[in-house]
Amino acid sequence: MNKIKCSHILVSKQSEALAILERIKKGEKFGKLAKELSTDTGSAKRDGNLGYFTKGMMVKPFEEAAFKLEIGQVSEPVKSEFGYHIIKRMG
């Protein structure tokens, strides 16, 4: 089974997600921004870390984006029923 490990930052607005993405591109640490800004409080405490998961465990838009990423790559904002995710593939 294909397992991947990701971290994410979840916010309610696309504009917020785009602003965070800009900060990441300028060199700010993904984990620090997750701790400060992610509305997913469970993963935010762990720098946004969601651990390992396989297909079928996450909501579809999130899963589709996550499995396309290369290790170390950060996604564009991904919309799901929970809000906008910025996903970073860790492994």
Side-chain angles (χ1 to χ4, degrees), residues 32-51:
K32 179 178 152 296
L33 292 170
K35 269 196 174 97
E36 279 174 29
L37 304 166
S38 183
T39 59
D40 177 7
T41 49
S43 70
K45 289 197 274 283
R46 301 187 302 274
D47 291 350
N49 192 346
L50 295 165

Side-chain angles (χ1 to χ4, degrees), residues 8-37:
H8 81 146
I9 300 171
L10 178 65
V11 291
S12 58
K13 292 195 198 84
Q14 187 178 19
S15 56
E16 291 173 271
L18 291 167
I20 292 166
L21 198 55
E22 275 311 302
R23 292 173 66 180
I24 292 165
K25 285 178 180 164
K26 288 188 177 121
E28 287 195 59
K29 293 273 181 274
F30 191 96
K32 179 178 152 296
L33 292 170
K35 269 196 174 97
E36 279 174 29
L37 304 166

Side-chain angles (χ1 to χ4, degrees):
M1 194 55 143
N2 201 0
K3 273 204 297 204
I4 64 170
K5 183 180 183 184
C6 290
S7 292
H8 81 146
I9 300 171
L10 178 65
V11 291
S12 58
K13 292 195 198 84
Q14 187 178 19
S15 56
E16 291 173 271
L18 291 167
I20 292 166
L21 198 55
E22 275 311 302
R23 292 173 66 180
I24 292 165
K25 285 178 180 164
K26 288 188 177 121
E28 287 195 59
K29 293 273 181 274
F30 191 96
K32 179 178 152 296
L33 292 170
K35 269 196 174 97
E36 279 174 29
L37 304 166
S38 183
T39 59
D40 177 7
T41 49
S43 70
K45 289 197 274 283
R46 301 187 302 274
D47 291 350
N49 192 346
L50 295 165
Y52 284 95
F53 56 90
T54 55
K55 288 194 167 162
M57 288 172 70
M58 299 290 178
V59 291
K60 211 59 179 158
F62 182 97
E63 176 183 289
E64 284 170 4
F67 276 89
K68 282 186 189 132
L69 294 171
E70 301 290 322
I71 292 172
Q73 191 181 9
V74 175
S75 74
E76 291 296 311
V78 176
K79 190 178 192 315
S80 80
E81 68 235 50
F82 302 107
Y84 289 86
H85 307 263
I86 298 169
I87 309 162
K88 181 173 185 178
R89 180 147 174 202
M90 310 299 281

